């Protein structure tokens, strides 16, 4: 992990979502970050001549800090939170799009994941994966590993070494996978899970947390789910991640395996796995009763639109989830999703909401404050990618926006970076630059979210330490 840093002061534009409906855009912000990586203060509308006086008012001297002044087309914003991805699936990202979920798992994904029994292979793959994810601006990531204990420990080691904030889960899967890729027994699965929890806790790194990971209900017998529920009860603050209602065939199979459960969501509830910090990926075909149950338990949904489109699973109605007050974040779901970037998830979340809006059988009420039957606005998309993910992971008091007292998990965006085909800035036309207005800053944010890529992410910080970005 990077060495402890000195205090930092950033001067320039700041953009972050403070609610589902509001983006705060500050063209002349002054941000102080302590040597411990905590945001000490944020000042608005500071002119360049007043920087030193503003710092002195906070008891800071400019000669004692790393001072970073941002140029036109650059700004600080929160790092992205990826609430659902599969680290061992990066090698098969972008292939298998001809399949739907269950056939895709059988023919593409399980054979790839089986390779991670080789720990050296896992080390090489995961080293590349974690750095790619960081360079995409994802400062917090919820990783599914494989069923292999040692390889999963290796993933935790790499996240620790590289300084990423991460939730690491070993997949629990003792049935309905494949003859060569499936755990031998519930007892072995549970023992390996407890060993992994102890190992991650022994790292004494607050950035790295274990997360219980029953792959999905189909892959876990009753004894395994019962045991995981017992582990969950022993660790009431531990996060849980799994899949739910992604594909109609998956849902039908789940009902066959658990005939005593009325719904898919009630399976997880029966075994004590539906609670605060339970992250349910997809939720494409959830019934209203399931949404109500998820809300009542404090769980939430990882919206994975790229994967949902790619594997023809359907479109999750995020607008209705938000109207019910359910927590929602975004997930890349590599490799059902074919991009490691949350930017792609943002773009596809926008498209998904527009498709649902124009498919609505009755018009939306333009005067209503609800999200239903409407496209998701820019503020909501940014919120889901940052603060929404933080809420889902139980980290809303720690990260998600640039607020004093939170840790500085952030990215520096640079639209002036050349070679990004979709980015068009006034400089190309010879127009005068300067400090952008708030309206112009919001336009540039939208341009970045829909036309930018990792080349526009100049620097990435986790807890105040540089961990990635195009300039690293």
């Amino acid at each position: 992990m990077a060495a402890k840093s000195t205090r930092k002061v950033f001067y320039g534009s700041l953009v972050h979502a403070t609610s589902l409906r509001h983006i705060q855009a500050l063209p002349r912000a002054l941000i102080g970050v302590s040597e411990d990586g905590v945001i000490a203060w944020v000042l608005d509308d500071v002119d360049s001549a007043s920087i030193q006086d503003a710092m002195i008012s906070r008891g800071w001297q400019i000669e004692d800090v790393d001072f970073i002044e941002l140029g036109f087309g650059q700004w600080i914003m929160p790092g992205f939170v990826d609430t659902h991805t599969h680290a061992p699936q990066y090698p098969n990202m972008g292939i298998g799009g001809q399949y739907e979920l269950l056939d895709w798992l059988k023919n593409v994904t399980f054979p790839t994941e089986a390779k991670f029994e080789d720990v050296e292979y896992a080390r090489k793959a995961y080293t590349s994966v974690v750095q790619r994810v960081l360079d995409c601006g994802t400062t917090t990531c919820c990783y599914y590993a494989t069923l292999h204990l040692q390889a999963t420990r290796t993933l935790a080691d790499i996240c620790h070494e590289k300084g990423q904030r991460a939730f690491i889960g070993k997949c629990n899967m003792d049935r309905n996978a494949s003859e060569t890729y499936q755990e031998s027994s519930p007892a072995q699965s549970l023992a390996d899970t407890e060993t992994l929890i102890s190992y991650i806790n022994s790292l004494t790194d607050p950035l790295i947390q274990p997360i219980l990971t029953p792959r999905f209900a189909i892959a876990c017998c009753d004894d395994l789910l019962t045991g995981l529920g017992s582990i969950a009860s022993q660790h009431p603050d531990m996060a849980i991640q799994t899949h739910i209602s992604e594909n109609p065939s998956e849902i039908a199979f789940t009902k066959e395996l658990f005939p005593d459960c009325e719904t898919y969501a009630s399976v997880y509830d029966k075994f004590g796995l539906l609670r605060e910090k339970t992250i349910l990926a997809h939720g494409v075909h959830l019934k209203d009763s399931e949404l109500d149950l998820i809300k009542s338990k404090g769980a939430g949904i990882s919206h994975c639109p790229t994967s949902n489109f790619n594997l023809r699973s359907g479109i999750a109605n995020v607008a209705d989830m938000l109207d019910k007050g359910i927590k929602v974040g975004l997930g890349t779901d590599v490799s059902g999703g074919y991009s490691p970037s949350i930017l792609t998830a943002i773009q596809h979340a926008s498209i998904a909401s527009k498709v649902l809006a124009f498919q609505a059988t009755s018009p939306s009420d333009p005067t209503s404050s609800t999200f239903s039957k409407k496209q998701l606005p820019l503020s909501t998309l940014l919120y889901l990618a940052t603060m929404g993910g933080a809420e889902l992971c139980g980290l809303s008091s720690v990260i998600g926006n640039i607020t004093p007292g939170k840790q500085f998990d952030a990215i520096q965006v640079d639209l002036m970076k050349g070679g990004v085909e979709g980015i068009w800035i006034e400089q190309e036309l010879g127009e005068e630059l300067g400090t952008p207005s708030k309206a112009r800053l919001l336009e540039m944010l939208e341009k970045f979210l829909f036309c930018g890529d990792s080349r526009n992410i100049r620097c990435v910080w986790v807890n105040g330490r540089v961990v990635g970005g195009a300039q690293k």
Side-chain angles (χ1 to χ4, degrees):
M1 187 182 295
K4 190 173 181 179
S5 62
T6 59
R7 291 190 294 184
K8 298 178 179 66
V9 172
F10 298 85
Y11 178 64
S13 296
L14 164 64
V15 182
H16 60 170
T18 56
S19 73
L20 287 164
R21 294 288 192 182
H22 180 67
I23 295 174
Q24 186 177 47
L26 307 178
R28 298 195 300 178
L30 195 65
I31 308 165
V33 179
S34 74
E35 55 267 72
D36 295 323
V38 175
I39 302 164
W41 40 265
V42 178
L43 304 178
D44 181 19
D45 200 23
V46 179
D47 65 67
S48 58
S50 303
I51 291 173
Q52 194 159 357
D53 288 342
M55 289 178 58
I56 291 172
S57 73
R58 297 288 168 162
W60 291 32
Q61 300 290 334
I62 196 166
E63 59 268 20
D64 297 331
V65 305
D66 290 335
F67 184 78
I68 300 101
E69 184 169 3
L70 309 178
F72 183 87
Q74 299 179 346
W75 65 86
I76 296 295
M77 63 182 286
F80 297 129
V81 180
D82 188 345
T83 58
H84 183 72
T85 201
H86 295 262
Q89 292 180 21
Y90 276 67
N92 62 280
M93 183 166 52
I95 62 175
Q98 70 269 32
Y99 298 114
E100 290 191 9
L101 175 64
L102 297 182
D103 287 336
W104 171 79
L105 289 170
K106 176 183 176 182
N107 292 293
V108 179
T109 295
F110 289 157
T112 299
E113 291 192 13
K115 296 177 183 178
F116 284 75
E117 184 177 11
D118 181 339
V119 177
E120 187 55 33
Y121 177 87
R123 182 177 304 280
K124 291 178 180 178
Y126 286 152
T127 297
S128 176
V129 167
V130 174
Q131 193 58 58
R132 290 186 194 199
V133 172
L134 284 167
D135 290 341
C136 285
T138 297
T139 50
T140 297
C141 195
C142 297
Y143 287 116
Y144 284 61
T146 61
L147 56 78
H148 308 107
L149 172 60
Q150 188 55 50
T152 306
R153 288 173 55 157
T154 298
L155 176 58
D157 289 340
I158 291 166
C159 290
H160 172 66
E161 291 162 6
K162 289 186 173 290
Q164 186 174 41
R165 192 181 302 275
F167 293 82
I168 311 291
K170 185 202 76 64
C171 281
N172 301 105
M173 42 188 295
D174 70 334
R175 65 173 178 177
N176 297 321
S178 74
E179 292 181 0
T180 58
Y181 185 60
Q182 185 169 287
E183 292 176 299
S184 60
S185 68
Q188 185 63 54
S189 181
L190 294 168
D192 286 351
T193 297
E194 292 182 314
T195 300
L196 179 68
I197 292 169
S198 297
Y199 179 75
I200 292 177
N201 289 338
S202 75
L203 296 175
T204 61
D205 182 352
L207 300 179
I208 311 298
Q209 297 186 42
I211 182 169
L212 284 182
T213 307
R215 186 168 198 126
F216 53 175
I218 287 173
C220 301
C221 73
D222 283 30
D223 287 346
L224 179 51
L225 290 172
T226 298
L228 291 171
S230 177
I231 293 174
S233 67
Q234 296 166 35
H235 302 274
D237 294 328
M238 186 183 298
I240 302 168
Q241 61 182 358
T242 191
H243 300 77
I244 192 169
S245 295
E246 180 177 358
N247 172 280
S249 297
E250 167 217 9
I251 297 168
F253 194 11
T254 302
K255 289 181 178 178
E256 289 179 19
L257 294 172
F258 300 94
D260 58 326
C261 294
E262 183 177 349
T263 64
Y264 201 150
S266 63
V267 174
Y268 295 129
D269 188 41
K270 172 185 175 180
F271 292 101
L273 297 170
L274 198 62
R275 66 183 192 185
E276 290 280 346
K277 296 170 67 174
T278 293
I279 303 169
L280 300 165
H282 302 288
V284 175
H285 305 286
L286 290 168
K287 299 177 180 179
D288 284 344
S289 62
E290 292 179 285
L291 292 173
D292 292 340
L293 176 60
I294 290 167
K295 164 65 176 174
S296 70
K297 295 293 183 176
I301 301 294
S302 175
H303 180 36
C304 305
T306 306
S307 174
N308 294 341
F309 282 133
N310 189 43
L311 298 180
R312 304 192 305 282
S313 298
I315 302 177
N317 197 327
V318 170
D320 285 355
M321 295 176 188
L322 295 176
D323 283 340
K324 287 180 174 288
I326 293 171
K327 291 175 283 192
V328 180
L330 293 182
T332 57
D333 192 27
V334 170
S335 66
Y338 47 76
S339 169
S341 175
I342 286 291
L343 291 174
T344 304
I346 289 171
Q347 294 155 19
H348 290 167
S350 177
I351 293 170
S353 70
K354 291 175 181 178
V355 171
L356 290 177
F358 67 61
Q359 286 182 339
T361 55
S362 59
S364 63
D365 180 359
T367 64
S368 170
S369 61
T370 62
F371 293 96
S372 181
K373 302 178 184 178
K374 302 171 187 174
Q375 72 179 67
L376 296 177
L378 189 68
S379 59
T380 305
L381 295 168
L382 180 59
Y383 192 90
L384 296 182
T386 54
M387 194 62 191
E391 291 173 340
L392 197 52
C393 295
L395 295 174
S396 59
S397 64
V398 180
I399 59 167
N401 54 28
I402 309 300
T403 302
K406 291 191 176 184
Q407 294 181 19
F408 190 69
D409 284 20
I411 61 177
Q412 180 185 341
V413 178
D414 184 2
L415 286 197
M416 307 307 290
K417 174 70 175 178
V420 182
E421 292 79 4
I423 303 296
W424 184 280
I425 293 294
E426 288 87 339
Q427 189 181 46
E428 297 179 89
L429 303 178
E431 296 182 18
E432 185 177 349
L433 303 181
T435 302
S437 65
K438 291 185 178 182
R440 184 69 184 102
L441 187 52
L442 289 173
E443 288 179 353
M444 290 192 290
L445 170 68
E446 186 172 13
K447 186 179 289 287
F448 167 62
L449 295 182
F450 286 92
C451 300
D453 61 32
S454 61
R455 290 171 291 179
N456 299 115
I457 299 173
R458 183 177 178 84
C459 198
V460 181
W461 294 268
V462 172
N463 196 27
R465 296 171 176 84
V466 175
V467 293
Q471 76 168 17
K472 188 171 185 281

